[in-house]
C-alpha cells in the first residue's frame, strides 16, 4: 500500500490495494505453487477518492493507541458523530482529536485527560474537518 504524508485536501486521490487474508490464500492455492508469491496474490487496483493516508503529527492521541509516526487512513464523511476520532485542519496545523458538538460549537479533545480541549465555532476561518480515522497502521 502506498502511504503518503498529508495530502493536498482538494486533489487527493490515492490508490489502495485489496489484499486477501493469508488463510484464504492458503486454502485456495494449489499446494505445488506454495512459496511462489506472484501466483498466490493477485490484486486489482482500487482508486478511492474519499480516503487518504497521512502520518500522525503528534502523540496527543497516544492513549487511544495512535502515536506520532503511525499512519492513519482517513475517510471523508458528510456527518460526524460524538466521540469520532477525526482529522481537522486549522490554518496550516493538522489535528487528530475526538469530536464533540454542541449547537454551533465543536469541541476537539485529546484522549489524554491532562490536555486542554479546543472549542471552535463551526465557521471559524481556516477550520475544516478532513475526515474520520478508520484505520491506524504502525510500522515496526
Amino acid at each position: 500500500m502506498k502511504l503518503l504524508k498529508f495530502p493536498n485536501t482538494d486533489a487527493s486521490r490515492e490508490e489502495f490495494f485489496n489484499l486477501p487474508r493469508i488463510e484464504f490464500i492458503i486454502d485456495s492455492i494449489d499446494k505445488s505453487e506454495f512459496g511462489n508469491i506472484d501466483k498466490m496474490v493477485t490484486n486489482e487496483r482500487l482508486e478511492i477518492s474519499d480516503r487518504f493516508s497521512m502520518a500522525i503529527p503528534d502523540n496527543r492521541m497516544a492513549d487511544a493507541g495512535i502515536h506520532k509516526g503511525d499512519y492513519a487512513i482517513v475517510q471523508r464523511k458528510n456527518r460526524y458523530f460524538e466521540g469520532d476520532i477525526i482529522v481537522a485542519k486549522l490554518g496550516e496545523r493538522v489535528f487528530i482529536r475526538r469530536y464533540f458538538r454542541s449547537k454551533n460549537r465543536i469541541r476537539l479533545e485529546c484522549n489524554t485527560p491532562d490536555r486542554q480541549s479546543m472549542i471552535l465555532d463551526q465557521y471559524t476561518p481556516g477550520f475544516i474537518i478532513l475526515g474520520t480515522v478508520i484505520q491506524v497502521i504502525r510500522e515496526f
Side-chain angles (χ1 to χ4, degrees), residues 9 13 16 25 37 53 65 74 87 90 96 119 123 129 131 137:
T9 58
R13 292 185 73 95
F16 287 81
I25 295 171
I37 194 72
S53 61
V74 181
V87 177
L90 180 60
I96 296 180
I119 300 174
Y123 303 111
I129 296 176
I137 301 168

Side-chain angles (χ1 to χ4, degrees), residues 42-114:
T42 58
N43 296 301
E44 295 180 23
R45 286 186 137 166
L46 300 174
E47 193 171 307
I48 302 172
S49 61
D50 65 341
R51 291 183 187 173
F52 64 90
S53 61
M54 62 172 283
I56 305 297
D58 58 39
N59 274 319
R60 303 258 169 117
M61 293 297 287
D63 287 352
I66 303 172
H67 301 273
K68 182 176 182 174
D70 292 348
Y71 290 93
I73 306 300
V74 181
Q75 181 166 359
R76 293 182 179 96
K77 292 185 175 181
N78 293 327
R79 185 171 182 209
Y80 301 95
F81 298 99
E82 298 286 307
D84 278 356
I85 297 176
I86 57 109
V87 177
K89 187 174 180 184
L90 180 60
E92 294 301 312
R93 294 209 47 205
V94 177
F95 303 93
I96 296 180
R97 303 289 188 268
R98 287 214 183 265
Y99 169 89
F100 298 94
R101 186 178 183 108
S102 176
K103 296 186 183 178
N104 289 338
R105 302 263 189 241
I106 295 172
R107 188 175 79 242
L108 302 177
E109 291 187 358
C110 301
N111 249 34
T112 312
D114 63 340

